[in-house]
Amino acid sequence: MDNIMECTGLSKIYKNAVALSGINLQIKKGRIVGLLGPNGSGKTTLIKLANGLLTPTMGNILIDGMPVGVETKKIVSYLPDHNFLTQWMTVDQMINYFSDFYADFNFERADAMLKNLGIDRTKKIKTLSKGTQEKVALILVMSREAQLYLLDEPIAGVDPATRDYILRTIISNYNEDATIIISTHLISDVEQILSDVVFINNGNVVLCGSVDDIRQREGKSVDELFREVFRC
Amino acid sequence: MSWSFSNDKPIFQQLEERIVLEIISGRYEPGSKLEPVRELAMTAGVNPNTMQRALADIENTGIIYTKRGDGRYITENTEIINEIRNRYVLKKTEDFIASVKALGLDEDGIVKAVREALKQGG
């Protein structure tokens, strides 16, 4: 089983909008994949289908060869694009709460990241700034020893220095068989840590390939190619 | 991120160029050990797979080699290092010549310009 995720004819249709229209996509194990597309292209829908928050209208999606369910949730670590922290808890309480849910939670890893980013664990979540809350959320998600990390806009709200730290955290903490899917539109920031990219537009996969192949073939960065493909 | 990359070339090629340059410029002693892939990837701020690919390519030139279960080492064979350095110097010189030829300089003019620049401590 080389693929951690496989979509066949995957469609999601909301009441009067097509979010994904029959996509076919294979994501290999051990890769860092950028899921790139303009606003409203279907990135979040795809991520939500992969972790079972949504069910497909048609087609199917397999995670490590299994249909999405209890077993796949054990190996998928998901960072939503909105704040999911319980505001009245302290950072410590939040960590304990999260680790109660997930058997693969690694306390040492969480501890090291909190220290590096200088986050006070005794503080209540609601007293932290928006950026710091985002850091805590990412620390929780990256502290799991998962097979597939789904990060929906992980770096949007943090300063450039923290962005660098987070990207370094991502490449140093993931194990070689794990896969990370990062949805973002801040391409130039993440480009050098990505192995593959998937361009998605209007619910269709429009391009899919390795970053180095794209650079070699096009003679330009993925960021530049994106600006061309999605020129407004 | 600590290393910066240009947009027009694959990242693994740029990693290769940079690491080879560090070897031929003597930043790594012949026979010394290279940092592990993951550490190098962290320093450069790149995907470990990309770094792996770059190192595998560099290995094909013979300037680094793998000791099984122990990591990668710079070759002790200074001949290989010198040869690659010479090739690099030649390439840089050719690039320079091409760029000043485009300005209309002939051979004498180029030699004169080089002497002048050297005199000024360039």
Side-chain angles (χ1 to χ4, degrees):
Chain A
M1 198 72 213
D2 289 339
N3 294 330
I4 187 71
M5 182 166 126
E6 266 185 49
C7 307
T8 12
L10 183 67
S11 298
K12 180 69 189 177
I13 299 161
Y14 298 113
K15 214 174 221 170
N16 42 23
V18 179
L20 288 179
S21 58
I23 64 162
N24 297 303
L25 183 65
Q26 278 108 35
I27 306 280
K28 287 203 197 82
K29 285 183 181 170
R31 315 288 283 184
I32 303 180
V33 183
L35 184 61
L36 314 175
N39 305 110
S41 54
K43 303 189 293 285
T44 297
T45 299
L46 179 58
I47 284 181
K48 286 185 172 172
L49 287 165
N51 66 23
L53 287 177
L54 294 172
T55 50
T57 313
M58 274 175 295
N60 64 66
I61 176 165
L62 298 177
I63 303 293
D64 203 17
M66 300 176 282
V68 175
V70 177
E71 287 309 309
T72 66
K73 286 189 185 193
K74 286 181 187 164
I75 58 167
V76 173
S77 189
Y78 165 57
L79 179 75
D81 62 348
H82 56 83
N83 195 322
F84 67 92
L85 304 174
T86 311
Q87 293 293 317
W88 58 264
M89 285 187 183
T90 64
V91 174
D92 246 341
Q93 286 172 320
M94 195 69 225
I95 285 177
N96 287 323
Y97 180 73
F98 208 75
S99 67
D100 281 344
F101 272 102
Y102 300 106
D104 59 1
F105 194 84
N106 182 331
F107 277 97
E108 282 154 38
R109 210 189 263 183
D111 199 45
M113 286 193 265
L114 287 168
K115 279 208 186 94
N116 280 332
L117 286 170
I119 295 170
D120 183 352
R121 336 171 37 134
T122 62
K123 279 204 169 149
K124 284 215 163 95
I125 301 287
K126 68 177 169 205
T127 67
L128 303 173
S129 71
K130 182 168 173 276
T132 307
Q133 292 198 23
E134 285 191 22
K135 291 177 207 168
V136 172
L138 188 78
I139 289 171
L140 290 172
V141 169
M142 290 310 294
S143 294
R144 288 186 52 197
E145 286 166 359
Q147 291 302 306
L148 176 62
Y149 298 86
L150 300 169
L151 312 179
D152 201 352
E153 299 283 355
I155 53 171
V158 298
D159 63 82
T162 307
R163 207 171 279 172
D164 279 0
Y165 175 80
I166 286 174
L167 295 177
R168 259 181 282 130
T169 305
I170 290 174
I171 48 183
S172 61
N173 276 339
Y174 95 110
N175 79 58
E176 266 144 56
D177 311 313
T179 302
I180 303 176
I181 298 180
I182 304 174
S183 107
T184 187
H185 41 248
L186 296 167
I187 303 171
S188 59
D189 283 321
V190 297
E191 183 163 349
Q192 60 197 60
I193 72 158
L194 299 178
S195 32
D196 304 283
V197 288
V198 176
F199 277 17
I200 176 166
N201 194 23
N202 292 326
N204 290 297
V205 172
V206 292
L207 190 145
C208 176
S210 105
V211 171
D212 278 326
D213 288 349
I214 289 174
R215 281 174 164 250
Q216 199 144 38
R217 195 176 58 230
E218 307 282 338
K220 57 174 76 104
S221 67
V222 172
D223 185 50
E224 289 170 304
L225 182 65
F226 183 92
R227 285 166 205 262
E228 255 171 49
V229 172
F230 297 114
R231 189 179 298 270
C232 298
Chain B
M1 297 281 160
S2 341
W3 296 12
S4 56
F5 299 95
S6 73
N7 283 338
D8 53 348
K9 272 191 283 185
I11 291 163
F12 76 93
Q13 276 178 11
Q14 299 182 51
L15 292 172
E16 279 174 46
E17 285 163 14
R18 170 140 179 178
I19 293 166
V20 168
L21 191 62
E22 291 196 343
I23 297 170
I24 62 178
S25 65
R27 205 183 83 67
Y28 289 106
E29 295 277 324
S32 66
K33 194 176 177 187
L34 209 60
E35 295 94 325
V37 177
R38 190 164 281 247
E39 210 177 303
L40 280 172
M42 279 269 280
T43 316
V46 300
N47 189 308
N49 293 323
T50 313
M51 184 56 81
Q52 178 68 36
R53 178 169 178 188
L55 292 177
D57 275 6
I58 299 173
E59 213 169 308
N60 288 335
T61 68
I63 200 167
I64 60 174
Y65 65 98
T66 302
K67 274 189 197 167
R68 269 197 101 116
D70 190 21
R72 287 192 170 82
Y73 285 81
I74 317 296
T75 180
E76 289 99 8
N77 187 340
T78 46
E79 255 169 56
I80 297 181
I81 298 179
N82 284 336
E83 195 201 311
I84 292 178
R85 186 193 292 122
N86 289 343
R87 234 185 286 156
Y88 183 83
V89 170
L90 189 65
K91 175 79 179 55
K92 281 281 164 194
T93 313
E94 282 168 357
D95 290 350
F96 159 74
I97 290 172
S99 65
V100 290
K101 260 191 179 160
L103 297 172
L105 265 70
D106 61 1
E107 214 176 298
D108 287 345
I110 294 169
V111 173
K112 221 172 115 192
V114 171
R115 286 225 176 85
E116 185 64 27
L118 283 170
K119 218 185 286 170
Q120 297 199 0

